Amino acid sequence: MEMMENLQKIARQCGEIMLSAEDIERNITEKEGQKNFVTKYDVLVQKTLQKELLSLYPEAHFYGEEDGQQDDVHSGMAFIVDPIDGTTNFIKGYRVSVVSIGVAKDGEIICGVVYDPYTDTMYHAEKGKGAYVNGKRVYVSDCSLANSMVCVGTAPYYAEYTDRTFALARALFDNALDLRRSGSAALDLCAVGCGRADLMTEWVVCPWDFAAAKCIIEEAGGIMTQIDGSPMKLDGKCSILAGGKRAHAEFFEKGLHKI
Ligand code: IPD
Ligand code: CA
Ligand code: CA
């Protein structure tokens, strides 16, 4: 079976675990930073990803959000996974959370699958083969910044970024059409990848938040960089600015990267 089919099958299996979760409130522990929680389901989905992916591709490296394996992602094949992106939503029963599987080859993202089990929506892309939502080819928008709907992540676990987050949000609100915030960075990026939103930004994200969506955005004709225009980092925290090329360029022309 092709790798893409395998990844989608595994993502659906993880989605079933998310949908059948019970008693989430009684199975929460705190992680590093503020407001950062993990449920037994984050751990269970990550273990499922690890077991299923590595049994099919034993030579691959694995880099997951939750405690456990965080291998080198710069050599050979590596899976970069977020078992549940949108954990706060998941805990609250908000029903906006996804499973995200990115694949890197020698440090470059070559494949991505993001699955939203609540709407049964599968986002996928492979380098050179385009980006798709439920099998339909999608593209980023060609919107101006002024006409853009901008997804703003709030970097909720890092109090030291709150002032900059809201200063940037204010500037974007003044320079764009309106703001959105789903509570899942991966899902916001997928919205940009299929042209439903036009730009996404956040001061602090981790590789598992954007790995899969990076391939989706790029294959949809968009661009993903840090807020200062530098490349994304696959081995640590960084900022993010992703969207259609026009809105992304106008962000810099307006000097918003200096906020
Ligand atoms: C978080 C979500 C949130 C974003 C945070 C992420 P998690 O991931 O994507 O929308 O603002 O930066 O860490 O903790 O729910 O996997
Ligand atoms: Ca995440
Ligand atoms: Ca997560």
Side-chain angles (χ1 to χ4, degrees):
M1 211 194 288
E2 288 288 313
M3 178 186 253
M4 184 47 74
E5 271 177 69
N6 288 328
L7 297 188
Q8 293 190 15
K9 192 166 162 238
I10 294 168
R12 285 186 194 281
Q13 192 182 332
C14 293
E16 276 168 30
I17 298 175
M18 289 164 70
L19 291 180
S20 59
E22 281 173 355
D23 260 359
I24 300 172
E25 306 78 11
R26 284 204 275 141
N27 289 290
I28 302 172
T29 46
E30 271 193 71
K31 288 205 292 191
E32 193 193 321
Q34 63 162 16
K35 306 179 182 178
N36 197 359
F37 303 102
V38 57
T39 72
K40 74 168 185 186
Y41 296 100
D42 296 78
V43 176
L44 180 61
V45 172
Q46 175 154 319
K47 284 193 174 139
T48 304
L49 288 166
Q50 195 171 6
K51 179 168 159 276
E52 298 295 332
L53 292 168
L54 296 182
S55 74
L56 288 171
Y57 307 96
E59 73 288 5
H61 296 177
F62 185 89
Y63 190 82
E65 174 176 14
E66 307 310 338
D67 276 349
Q69 216 174 327
Q70 289 197 338
D71 296 334
D72 170 38
V73 294
H74 290 109
S75 64
M77 180 160 96
F79 293 111
I80 305 175
V81 309
D82 194 337
I84 299 181
D85 185 56
T87 292
T88 306
N89 287 346
F90 183 69
I91 291 170
K92 292 277 178 188
Y94 194 62
R95 301 175 70 82
V96 181
S97 310
V98 297
V99 49
S100 174
I101 309 171
V103 186
K105 192 164 174 243
D106 297 330
E108 190 198 353
I109 303 289
I110 54 154
C111 183
V113 166
V114 173
Y115 179 59
D116 173 355
Y118 300 102
T119 58
D120 189 20
T121 307
M122 182 71 71
Y123 302 86
H124 87 266
E126 263 178 285
K127 194 170 158 47
K129 295 190 181 171
Y132 299 83
V133 178
N134 287 339
K136 183 172 173 275
R137 184 96 193 239
V138 289
Y139 300 91
V140 295
S141 78
D142 184 37
C143 255
S144 64
L145 183 62
N147 205 26
S148 284
M149 198 155 81
V150 184
C151 300
V152 178
T154 54
Y157 313 140
Y158 311 95
E160 65 277 26
Y161 278 92
T162 302
D163 287 344
R164 290 173 94 182
T165 291
F166 286 92
L168 183 57
R170 173 65 208 245
L172 283 164
F173 184 74
D174 291 343
N175 283 279
L177 201 57
D178 202 354
L179 309 182
R180 294 291 183 269
R181 156 79 172 153
S182 75
S184 161
L187 195 60
D188 283 344
L189 289 166
C190 286
V192 170
C194 50
R196 296 200 293 253
D198 309 293
L199 199 64
M200 185 275 180
T201 186
E202 185 160 5
W203 276 110
V204 189
V205 287
C206 292
W208 45 78
D209 296 317
F210 66 80
K214 185 168 191 290
C215 192
I216 293 167
I217 294 237
E218 289 175 351
E219 284 300 314
I223 180 167
M224 180 185 290
T225 64
Q226 294 199 52
I227 290 176
D228 64 1
S230 61
M232 301 302 288
K233 280 174 29 181
L234 284 187
D235 55 3
K237 298 180 178 79
C238 65
S239 65
I240 187 167
L241 177 70
K245 288 183 177 147
R246 183 171 169 198
H248 187 274
E250 287 179 14
F251 178 92
F252 293 97
E253 285 159 27
K254 294 271 179 195
L256 301 185
H257 59 297
K258 294 187 188 138
I259 282 168

